[in-house]
Amino acid sequence: ELLSTMQQPWPLGDNIGRGFPRLSQSAVEADGLSLKYLHPDNQADREIVLKAVWQNGRALQHASEAFQNDREVVLRAVQRDGDALQWASPSLQQDREVILKALARTADALRHVPENLWEDRALMLEAIRLNNRCLFTMPWFLDDTSFVLEAMALNGMALAHASKRLQGHRKAVTTAVTQNGLALQYASLELRADPEVVMVAVAQNGYAFGYATRELRSDPNVAFQAVSLSGRALHHMSQSLMSDANATLMQFTKPHGPGTHSPPYLVPAGAPFDEEPYRDAVLKALARKWKVPGWRSGSCVSPKSGMSTASHSLNASFGATHGSLSPQQEDKFDRLATAQGGALAAA
């Protein structure tokens, strides 16, 4: 009688027989694994099970067989924890969408995929596209050149898990950095010292220049090539080249307000290199200051730098697009050249 008169957050009565469904929902929302301790009626409640596996995918192990064969429940579980695939029904362990959702979340979930699917190239490639670490869990493909080339085209960062031989394979690395320039960090030292490979990476992501060798980052010709492709490369030049670039940038941007850009770093990063009206004028000034040959003709690569034909073509296309300056930029450039006593004189 006393209990019936007390105010209860979950009133007694029918709740005792039904296992307190509202309390059960709150429990699984806090910890999905508490599904194990619920009243059988609540373990059979689809809404409660869905909440449990969403909070913790491993709660699928405490669900009934009916729910382990429920596609929606299993998909929700593997999206939270790929290893929940081990508790899915055999039929759903063969389901490609379920497998890919699990591998996208947890690469190691491949061990729960039926072995007859391990040699399915299309399925494995799609898994790598979603999660580059999946390549690491496929040792039978790690040194397969054709497979790795296809994988690099889908997810360049998978280069991190390729064999050492393929990390030094020119075509594999070029394919990887074309898809994601930051994959350059996983290339062999020899290829990170290759200007052509580095420029392909920088063209995709300017920050990739930071993974080039110190020699390349200190070479004015290569640094100019990189910054002409992406202003973000500015922050990865050698200190002396960065100071030169910042000094030139300050001269061109100063009239637009103090404090906009300040050495040794720019905010936003490399903005004058990537935005008009500064781009052509600043690059032209740097080309003359660093004595980079052929800027006006669009071939800003020195034969001594060792750049290949592909790098020349990158510069040719850039020069064809950005080879001219406006009259205002020409006047400003001439004034700067005069003020510096010929430091920026024509090469």
Side-chain angles (χ1 to χ4, degrees), residues 78 99-107 127 130-131 134:
V78 298
I99 291 171
L100 290 173
K101 291 286 186 184
L103 294 178
R105 182 68 178 180
T106 310
L130 296 171
N131 184 345
C134 285

Side-chain angles (χ1 to χ4, degrees), residues 6-339:
M6 292 176 61
Q7 184 176 2
Q8 300 289 332
W10 290 277
L12 301 177
D14 290 344
N15 278 318
I16 295 178
R18 294 189 296 119
F20 292 89
R22 287 176 57 198
L23 178 59
S24 298
Q25 287 192 25
S26 298
V28 298
E29 287 173 357
D31 182 357
L33 294 178
S34 63
L35 180 66
K36 177 180 180 180
Y37 305 105
L38 298 188
H39 189 278
D41 289 347
N42 292 329
Q43 288 180 335
D45 186 312
R46 193 167 189 274
E47 183 179 354
I48 290 177
V49 173
L50 283 170
K51 288 183 177 181
V53 298
W54 184 247
Q55 198 285 325
N56 189 326
R58 290 176 174 267
L60 186 63
Q61 63 186 299
H62 304 305
S64 66
E65 289 187 12
F67 288 125
Q68 291 176 349
N69 194 40
D70 185 312
R71 198 165 186 273
E72 182 183 355
V73 172
V74 172
L75 278 172
R76 184 170 290 199
V78 298
Q79 282 180 295
R80 299 299 283 180
D81 189 331
D83 279 329
L85 182 64
Q86 63 188 297
W87 296 295
S89 66
S91 62
L92 288 179
Q93 286 180 345
Q94 297 272 353
D95 186 297
R96 300 176 79 86
E97 183 182 357
V98 172
I99 291 171
L100 290 173
K101 291 286 186 184
L103 294 178
R105 182 68 178 180
T106 310
D108 292 336
L110 183 63
R111 64 183 183 271
H112 306 306
V113 175
E115 291 186 20
N116 64 296
L117 296 176
W118 288 4
E119 296 291 336
D120 187 325
R121 290 175 71 95
L123 181 64
M124 298 299 104
L125 285 169
E126 181 62 14
I128 292 169
R129 184 185 71 81
L130 296 171
N131 184 345
N132 67 76
R133 194 177 182 280
C134 285
L135 181 59
F136 177 74
T137 66
M138 305 172 187
W140 53 94
F141 282 136
L142 283 180
D143 205 40
D144 183 324
T145 304
S146 63
F147 181 87
V148 170
L149 282 172
E150 291 182 69
M152 295 305 104
L154 295 171
N155 190 335
M157 296 302 282
L159 184 64
H161 309 294
S163 67
K164 291 295 182 184
R165 179 182 72 84
L166 289 175
Q167 286 178 342
H169 189 284
R170 187 182 187 82
K171 187 174 181 181
V173 172
T174 302
T175 303
V177 299
T178 299
Q179 198 280 326
N180 189 327
L182 296 179
L184 182 65
Q185 63 189 291
Y186 304 117
S188 66
L189 182 62
E190 180 184 357
L191 291 177
R192 288 191 287 115
D194 186 310
E196 180 183 352
V197 174
V198 171
M199 288 307 109
V200 173
V202 171
Q204 201 285 322
N205 189 319
Y207 292 126
F209 195 48
Y211 298 113
T213 58
R214 182 178 300 178
E215 290 74 14
L216 285 189
R217 290 185 284 114
S218 302
D219 185 326
N221 292 313
V222 178
F224 181 84
Q225 176 93 347
V227 83
S228 69
L229 290 170
S230 172
R232 294 173 177 176
L234 172 70
H235 303 296
H236 302 291
M237 298 177 183
S238 66
Q239 191 63 46
S240 61
L241 294 181
M242 188 191 301
S243 297
D244 282 349
N246 274 306
T248 305
L249 284 167
M250 288 293 288
Q251 290 174 318
F252 279 87
T253 59
K254 188 176 181 181
H256 295 273
T260 306
H261 306 288
S262 58
Y265 299 106
L266 300 176
V267 180
F273 280 117
D274 295 328
E275 300 174 4
E276 296 294 351
Y278 309 114
R279 180 184 178 88
D280 291 335
V282 173
L283 287 176
K284 182 178 178 182
L286 281 178
R288 295 194 176 193
K289 190 168 188 176
W290 291 344
K291 296 181 173 59
V292 178
W295 166 241
R296 282 192 172 277
S297 66
S299 176
C300 56
V301 181
S302 168
K304 295 181 181 180
S305 70
M307 295 244 183
S308 66
T309 313
S311 293
H312 281 278
S313 66
L314 284 173
N315 286 285
S317 62
F318 176 80
T321 307
H322 299 284
S324 60
L325 298 174
S326 67
Q328 294 82 3
Q329 291 171 331
E330 288 281 6
D331 291 342
K332 187 170 186 179
F333 177 82
D334 292 337
R335 289 197 302 272
L336 286 173
T338 304

